[in-house]
Amino acid sequence: LAHHTTTMKLWTLAEISGELATAPQISSTPGNNLINLNDKSLCHLPYVFPFTDSSGSPWNAIGTYEGLAAIALAAQHLNAGDGSIVPEVAALANNKCGVEFNVAAFDTALSESIAVDQIIQITDRTNAQAIANGGPADDANVLLRPPCVILGAARSAVTMPTSLISGLRGFPQISPISTSPALDDKSQYRYFARTIPNDDGTSVPLIARLNSGSGDDNTGAKDESESWGVNHLAVLYVDDAYGNAFAQGIVLAAKEMAPGMQIETFSLAVNPDDAQIQRVIASMAESQYMYFFAILASSYDEIMTAAYNAGIAGTGKHTWLFSDGVGSEFTGRDFTVGSPLERAYRGTGTLSAQGGMPGMKAYDALVEGLRELGESVEDKEYLNSLLPNQGITNHTDVTDSDSYLMTPGFVAPFLYDAVISAGLSACNLEMNHNTTDGNFALSGGDHYDAIVASTFEGTSGTIVFNSETGTRSPKSALFTLSNFVDDPDASTSDVVQFKSQETDVFEFGAWRSLQPFVFNNGDTIAPPDLPETEVDRNYIPAGLRAVGLTLCGVIIVLSIGFTVWTKKKEKIRIVKAAQPIFLYIIAIGTLLMGCAVIPLSLDPGVVSMEGASIACVSVPWLLACGFSMTFSALFTKTHRILTIMRNAAAFKRVKVTALDVAKPMICLLLANIITLSVWTGIDPRSSKTIVLQTNRFGKATETESICYSEHQSIFLSVLGVINLGALLVAFVEAYLARNISVELSESAYIMKAISIILLVCLMGIPVTIIAQENTSAFYFVAVAIIFTVCISILCLIFVPKIRASMKPPPAKKKHRSGGPDISRTSTQSDTDNSGIKILSSPMAMAELEEENRRLKQMAETMRASKSVRRWSNEIGLEESRRLSQMSNDSMVESDVATGNEKRVTFERPNSSEIENHTEMDAVDEEGEGGVIKEEENNGEEASHNEKNVDEEEGVIEEKGNIDEEESHIEMNVVDAEEGVDEEDIEKEEQVDNIVRVV
């Protein structure tokens, strides 16, 4: 072996093959896995792998042919001590190792039975099972060349029975790509090892790539590559040992690394027919998953065509990844543009344990070594001589292609490292043996133990075996994610070829991105893992929102309009009598309540969540403050009227100041503001989306945005007690004041307004609570309540005043000279006799004093007439006093704007001062009494100043200037609680007659 004169790279193997061909006998000692050849120890390396498919066509999907070249190159380096790829091999130079290595190839044709038959033949030491390389089958002296180490098989389903046989017969077996965890069972697969991690190890980088919660294998490594965020994965696997174990490994890895990830598995026969493919693909389509991981060995085109027809491939929304078994199935082929396969394969990928990457020294050296073999005619001829089934299979479809040996393929690095580990361990045993006779025997057990104990820097990374299982440690392996994309150099406008480009690398427990992964839709952003779910978010419909905002606009316009009208008309008698300050407060209150519709109309459908939260906070503020202002104004007006009337009926002096009027309003408003401030400060309302319904994946199909506060029920109850409680009190007072006549019958309108508020609250609030689960219904009811309350108040308070102010004033009339008609009030018409009235425009102070003196004189005159005295007793002295008091004792001068109020009162005489006889006592000259006597001479009329009376407006025009600063004194007129009965009316008419007689 030390002398060669050719440029052939594999010259040692060629020499050994020549010696084997000419050797008359080959002997092997039981228990020794080395062949004794011409005083040489030969380690035979049979390569058991699929070179053809079931139809007999060449099969090089994972680089079977390049794998054979890698095995041959490794054996050459061991024989020659060439450390150009693995430095440790250089220690074997100069024949330091007494073992030489030889290669043979066997085709399993992707069949378990064929593989088992071949392993039985390879490991049988009897001449009955002698095969071609040993000589004639009937030659009793020819024994099978026993294997030193068996290399293979590919699929775990094939490796499991073959390694079971090889283990029982004492031969180590190393697989480059069989990854089933079941092969770790040493009770069955005693001498099995592999230079690739098992499926449990491969599942770790898969889950780390897909799920956002992974990327850490408990080593603390940080994932530098952004995860795809996949939480739902469908796994399609071939129903054999390899597929079942791999699928189970993915499920277990997901449970450990991403507990929330849902995995659904679908099995397929090893050689499925079209009917089964259709059924399985239909089931996968029903899952509605968008990400698929396929663990297959064949039938790729049939499966992907069915997937395309089912709408789960080639849609731009679905993503397919494949295990390492796909190899070069998709590359180097022509696909018609727009065809199902072209669309289905575009943007797919493969996850595999990689045998190295460009930039790694050992890997680059292997690539260069294989390329040199491809450029050498002699080496290619030798490699072709090793191919099995010569004359049956046309291997030239692969060996004559331009790409042959230009790239290492998938299995080549793992096979090279497997041969190096077997060779180094064998040589180490040979160089360290201590036999007395000097003969070295290599047993399978010793060799296997040495293999799993070896470690070196190989082409696929650092080789470290698990000494208990013989499986390579996943921490020492390199995983890559490859992407199938268009190859612009090989594609045309009508035909597309795909190339495989590595996008991500998983090493040392974490992913590292090399370049973006291009998905089926041509984008580099990962599509969602589930179809887009149509979510009914129950936002307020645009049409309903428009209606609500329109009603809000009506309230705002009317509130502002009535405020402007009040400002312009505040000098006229009607507005003064209604007190403008109250009208302003009512208009502002309804404006605030109306504005509450605006934030009520805002939801996350039109604003951000932050904006919706602000709207949630503002709604109770606007409603509570607006309601309290409006209601307190109505309550104060009613309360003031009742206070005046109650004191007038009891003939008491009362002074109602501006502070007295403002106290209820301030207290109610302050209570609302304090409650709202505490609520906003400790537990503000915020917009929150709640899920009403979900689909089978837990995805929301119906949601609702609500304003949420943990303690909102408490604060709403407090606000309800404050406002509704006050509303009930106001309703009682409004009921008591319903018949008291004021300017334009305002008491009746206030009663109606408060009644409407109470009715709407009692009916609307329960309806609102019931409808709160329906966003549209809740919004409509809430807006309707606000609109009804605001419009009712505005129309009942302002519209009657506007109508009255638009009527033209009637012609003025004067009273006859017999004195003022004290049976009428300033607001009564000639036909109005509805009840007792209080003058809204009373006489001036001087005029009242003059009238009092005149009445005294009339009383003195009436004392002279005995008949009149008797008549006076009959009609009732008290009625005369009541009428006198009504016209003199309850005159109130009121100016709300300045807060000054005056009551002009003539005190009622004590009953002890009235003599119990038919004649009436004389009234003292200082006006202590107000009794009128009838004068016997009724022909003479008492002289007095004539006054002009305007009966429509109820204003008594004053002759003298009472006060230069105030031209008149305004007062609200209040209707009596009950209408005047017939007896009172008759007595009033009698008093009228007395006055006329006087």
Side-chain angles (χ1 to χ4, degrees):
L1 294 180
H3 306 285
H4 66 280
T5 59
T6 67
T7 59
M8 184 178 181
K9 305 296 181 181
L10 304 177
W11 58 272
T12 61
L13 299 182
E15 291 184 0
I16 293 175
S17 297
E19 292 184 28
L20 289 173
T22 59
Q25 292 184 353
I26 301 174
S27 61
S28 176
T29 305
N32 182 11
N33 293 339
L34 296 177
I35 301 173
N36 297 323
L37 177 62
N38 298 330
D39 298 329
K40 297 179 180 177
S41 295
L42 182 64
C43 180
H44 191 53
L45 301 174
Y47 176 40
V48 182
F49 231 70
F51 284 84
T52 60
D53 57 20
S54 57
S55 65
S57 300
W59 189 82
N60 196 36
I62 57 177
T64 301
Y65 289 79
E66 286 79 4
L68 176 61
I71 294 173
L73 185 61
Q76 169 66 31
H77 289 168
L78 290 171
N79 292 335
D82 186 348
S84 59
I85 296 179
V86 176
E88 288 84 350
V89 177
L92 307 181
N94 300 320
N95 296 326
K96 291 182 179 179
C97 178
V99 179
E100 297 180 0
F101 301 90
N102 185 46
V103 179
F106 299 88
D107 181 17
T108 64
L110 296 173
S111 171
E112 296 179 29
S113 59
I114 294 177
V116 169
D117 289 342
Q118 291 187 348
I119 290 296
I120 292 174
Q121 294 176 356
I122 293 172
T123 59
D124 192 351
R125 295 176 180 273
T126 64
N127 63 354
Q129 298 294 330
I131 59 174
N133 289 335
D138 57 353
D139 190 344
N141 295 323
V142 176
L143 297 177
L144 174 66
R145 301 167 184 170
C148 175
V149 173
I150 299 173
L151 302 174
R155 293 170 49 235
S156 296
V158 177
T159 303
M160 293 173 73
T162 57
S163 63
L164 179 63
I165 296 172
S166 62
L168 291 174
R169 293 187 171 183
F171 300 102
Q173 182 171 335
I174 303 176
S175 173
I177 59 172
S178 294
T179 56
S180 173
L183 290 168
D184 289 341
D185 186 359
K186 293 296 101 177
S187 64
Q188 297 189 62
Y189 315 106
R190 182 178 179 184
Y191 295 144
F192 175 77
R194 46 189 162 190
T195 53
I196 191 172
N198 61 18
D199 292 331
D200 291 343
T202 305
S203 301
V204 170
L206 172 65
I207 301 303
R209 172 71 282 184
L210 295 178
N211 190 271
S212 58
S214 46
D216 187 346
D217 62 348
N218 298 323
T219 63
K222 182 176 178 56
D223 197 339
E224 299 178 0
S225 178
E226 184 179 356
S227 176
W228 292 353
V230 178
N231 290 307
H232 300 84
L233 177 67
V235 177
L236 175 64
Y237 65 94
V238 61
D239 190 10
D240 60 8
Y242 162 70
N244 281 285
F246 201 163
Q248 186 64 24
I250 294 174
V251 173
L252 294 176
K255 287 182 179 180
E256 181 179 353
M257 300 174 60
M261 191 173 184
Q262 298 182 21
I263 308 293
E264 192 166 347
T265 59
F266 302 86
S267 63
L268 196 64
V270 176
N271 295 307
D273 56 22
D274 292 340
Q276 186 188 19
I277 292 175
Q278 296 293 335
R279 288 194 303 270
V280 173
I281 294 298
S283 299
M284 296 176 67
E286 291 176 359
S287 71
Q288 300 184 26
Y289 285 6
M290 310 291 283
Y291 282 79
F292 305 94
F293 186 76
I295 307 169
L296 305 173
S298 61
S299 304
Y300 290 95
D301 289 355
E302 293 81 1
I303 292 171
M304 295 306 291
T305 300
Y308 175 83
N309 294 333
I312 59 174
T315 63
K317 300 178 180 179
H318 296 80
T319 301
W320 283 76
L321 298 178
F322 299 91
S323 65
D324 49 19
V326 68
S328 59
E329 186 74 23
F330 309 152
T331 59
R333 294 174 54 188
D334 290 339
F335 297 95
T336 303
V337 175
S339 64
L341 288 179
E342 183 267 335
R343 294 182 176 180
Y345 285 144
R346 181 184 300 277
T348 59
T350 178
L351 176 68
S352 60
Q354 193 60 262
M357 294 179 56
M360 296 174 60
K361 181 178 179 181
Y363 178 82
D364 290 341
L366 174 64
V367 172
E368 181 62 25
L370 294 177
R371 184 177 294 112
E372 291 177 355
L373 293 180
E375 293 173 352
S376 171
V377 176
E378 293 177 314
D379 289 309
K380 288 183 69 175
E381 289 180 354
Y382 174 75
L383 292 174
N384 290 338
S385 68
L386 297 178
L387 294 174
N389 300 327
Q390 289 288 356
I392 301 176
T393 302
N394 187 8
H395 297 288
T396 57
D397 292 344
V398 175
T399 58
D400 289 350
S401 65
D402 295 336
S403 60
Y404 178 55
L405 297 179
M406 293 298 102
T407 58
F410 176 70
V411 298
F414 297 107
L415 286 169
Y416 183 91
D417 291 340
V419 173
I420 296 298
S421 64
L424 289 177
S425 59
C427 289
N428 287 334
L429 290 174
E430 191 275 336
M431 289 187 293
N432 295 322
H433 79 283
N434 295 317
T435 57
T436 56
D437 57 1
N439 295 325
F440 171 66
L442 182 63
S443 67
D446 292 341
H447 196 185
Y448 173 80
D449 292 338
I451 290 174
V452 298
S454 63
T455 178
F456 58 92
E457 195 68 29
T459 59
S460 60
T462 303
I463 304 299
V464 178
F465 294 98
N466 185 315
S467 59
E468 295 181 357
T469 63
T471 297
R472 182 175 178 177
S473 172
K475 296 180 181 180
S476 70
L478 185 71
F479 295 89
T480 61
L481 178 64
S482 299
N483 190 195
F484 295 109
V485 296
D486 290 356
D487 185 357
D489 296 333
S491 301
T492 64
S493 59
D494 299 326
V495 176
V496 173
Q497 282 193 9
F498 296 117
K499 66 178 181 178
S500 176
Q501 61 181 19
E502 295 171 348
T503 60
D504 299 90
V505 178
F506 187 83
E507 56 183 345
F508 308 114
W511 280 102
R512 177 168 55 88
S513 179
L514 302 177
Q515 57 183 318
F517 187 96
V518 180
F519 294 89
N520 186 254
N521 59 1
D523 200 353
T524 57
I525 299 176
D529 61 341
L530 290 175
E532 295 182 3
T533 304
E534 292 186 5
V535 181
D536 182 5
R537 303 188 183 279
N538 286 306
Y539 291 147
I540 301 172
L544 185 59
R545 182 183 287 109
V547 172
L549 293 176
T550 300
L551 297 179
C552 171
V554 173
I555 297 173
I556 294 174
V557 170
L558 289 179
S559 299
I560 295 175
F562 288 144
T563 302
V564 173
W565 179 85
T566 302
K567 181 64 178 176
K568 293 180 64 176
K569 302 292 184 179
E570 64 181 356
K571 297 298 183 182
I572 68 173
R573 180 190 56 79
I574 297 172
V575 177
K576 283 188 174 183
Q579 304 161 10
I581 186 63
F582 289 116
L583 299 180
Y584 290 139
I585 294 174
I586 291 172
I588 294 173
T590 55
L591 177 65
L592 291 178
M593 284 193 292
C595 288
V597 176
I598 297 176
L600 196 63
S601 304
L602 302 179
D603 55 29
V606 294
V607 297
S608 64
M609 290 297 292
E610 182 180 358
S613 297
I614 295 174
C616 289
V617 174
S618 62
V619 169
W621 275 92
L622 293 172
L623 285 177
C625 293
F627 179 83
S628 62
M629 291 181 66
T630 303
F631 163 74
S632 60
L634 298 176
F635 169 77
T636 302
K637 289 173 69 69
T638 306
H639 180 70
R640 183 180 178 277
I641 293 171
L642 278 179
T643 301
I644 294 174
M645 285 306 301
R646 286 168 181 163
N647 286 275
F651 298 98
K652 294 181 180 179
R653 184 188 303 270
V654 64
K655 183 177 182 181
V656 183
T657 65
L659 182 59
D660 295 331
V661 174
K663 282 180 180 178
M665 181 184 302
I666 294 174
C667 290
L668 184 60
L669 187 60
L670 190 61
N672 280 277
I673 291 177
I674 291 175
T675 304
L676 291 169
S677 299
V678 174
W679 186 5
T680 304
I682 66 175
D683 187 21
R685 300 176 87 208
S686 61
S687 181
K688 179 181 179 181
T689 300
I690 60 174
V691 177
L692 301 180
Q693 290 184 357
T694 59
N695 57 16
R696 59 187 290 262
F697 306 112
K699 290 236 176 186
T701 58
E702 184 178 3
T703 62
E704 183 181 23
S705 296
I706 62 172
C707 291
Y708 176 77
S709 174
E710 184 177 356
H711 304 96
Q712 67 177 352
S713 59
I714 298 176
F715 291 101
L716 289 176
S717 299
V718 174
L719 291 174
V721 170
I722 293 173
N723 293 285
L724 293 181
L727 181 61
L728 290 175
V729 175
F731 177 77
V732 173
E733 293 206 349
Y735 178 80
L736 296 176
R738 69 190 186 282
N739 290 326
I740 299 177
S741 177
V742 296
E743 200 72 37
L744 301 175
S745 301
E746 192 174 42
S747 294
Y749 290 125
I750 294 175
M751 170 62 183
K752 293 177 182 178
I754 295 178
S755 299
I756 290 175
I757 293 175
L758 183 60
L759 180 62
V760 169
C761 291
L762 292 179
M763 296 295 294
I765 292 177
V767 174
T768 304
I769 295 174
I770 295 173
Q772 65 181 349
E773 294 184 358
N774 188 312
T775 303
S776 299
F778 174 82
Y779 176 78
F780 176 78
V781 173
V783 172
I785 292 174
I786 295 172
F787 181 78
T788 302
V789 170
C790 293
I791 295 300
S792 299
I793 294 173
L794 291 173
C795 291
L796 289 172
I797 299 301
F798 287 94
V799 172
K801 297 175 177 56
I802 295 175
R803 293 179 60 188
S805 68
M806 296 174 63
K807 291 182 179 180
K812 295 183 179 180
K813 296 195 293 183
K814 294 182 180 180
H815 280 290
R816 58 183 179 274
S817 59
D821 185 358
I822 63 175
S823 68
R824 289 187 188 162
T825 67
S826 61
T827 59
Q828 277 185 286
S829 63
D830 291 338
T831 61
D832 185 13
N833 58 357
S834 60
I836 298 174
K837 306 290 184 175
I838 297 177
L839 296 176
S840 64
S841 296
M843 298 178 182
M845 181 68 71
E847 218 171 343
L848 293 174
E849 294 177 354
E850 178 64 26
E851 183 69 16
N852 193 40
R853 287 192 296 271
R854 188 182 63 77
L855 292 175
K856 288 180 181 180
Q857 294 174 2
M858 293 169 61
E860 291 291 340
T861 305
M862 292 173 66
R863 281 196 182 97
S865 175
K866 181 178 181 179
S867 59
V868 173
R869 288 197 304 270
R870 184 168 54 252
W871 180 83
S872 268
N873 285 329
E874 291 174 354
I875 67 173
L877 180 60
E878 285 301 316
E879 190 62 32
S880 297
R881 287 176 179 168
R882 185 175 67 82
L883 183 56
S884 178
Q885 295 297 338
M886 289 294 294
S887 60
N888 295 317
D889 292 353
S890 300
M891 304 305 168
V892 179
E893 178 182 346
S894 176
D895 186 354
V896 176
T898 62
N900 299 323
E901 298 190 7
K902 298 178 181 178
R903 181 175 294 278
V904 182
T905 307
F906 292 94
E907 296 183 1
R908 178 179 179 178
N910 296 327
S911 59
S912 61
E913 296 176 2
I914 303 174
E915 295 181 2
N916 188 17
H917 51 71
T918 56
E919 292 187 357
M920 302 173 65
D921 288 342
V923 181
D924 60 42
E925 293 186 359
E926 296 188 5
E928 295 294 334
V931 181
I932 303 175
K933 280 190 174 182
E934 182 178 359
E935 186 179 1
E936 290 183 2
N937 186 7
N938 55 9
E940 295 182 6
E941 296 180 358
S943 62
H944 60 278
N945 293 332
E946 187 173 353
K947 299 178 176 63
N948 293 328
V949 180
D950 185 354
E951 296 182 348
E952 288 296 323
E953 297 184 6
V955 179
I956 301 176
E957 297 184 331
E958 302 169 359
K959 296 296 185 178
N961 184 8
I962 299 173
D963 192 335
E964 293 181 358
E965 294 182 359
E966 297 182 12
S967 61
H968 60 278
I969 302 173
E970 298 287 348
M971 174 182 177
N972 280 343
V973 180
V974 186
D975 290 332
E977 289 184 24
E978 301 292 339
V980 181
D981 56 21
E982 294 181 358
E983 182 180 355
D984 293 335
I985 295 173
E986 183 178 358
K987 290 181 179 180
E988 287 188 45
E989 291 175 351
Q990 292 173 352
V991 175
D992 286 344
N993 292 334
I994 295 174
V995 176
R996 292 190 184 93
V997 171
V998 174

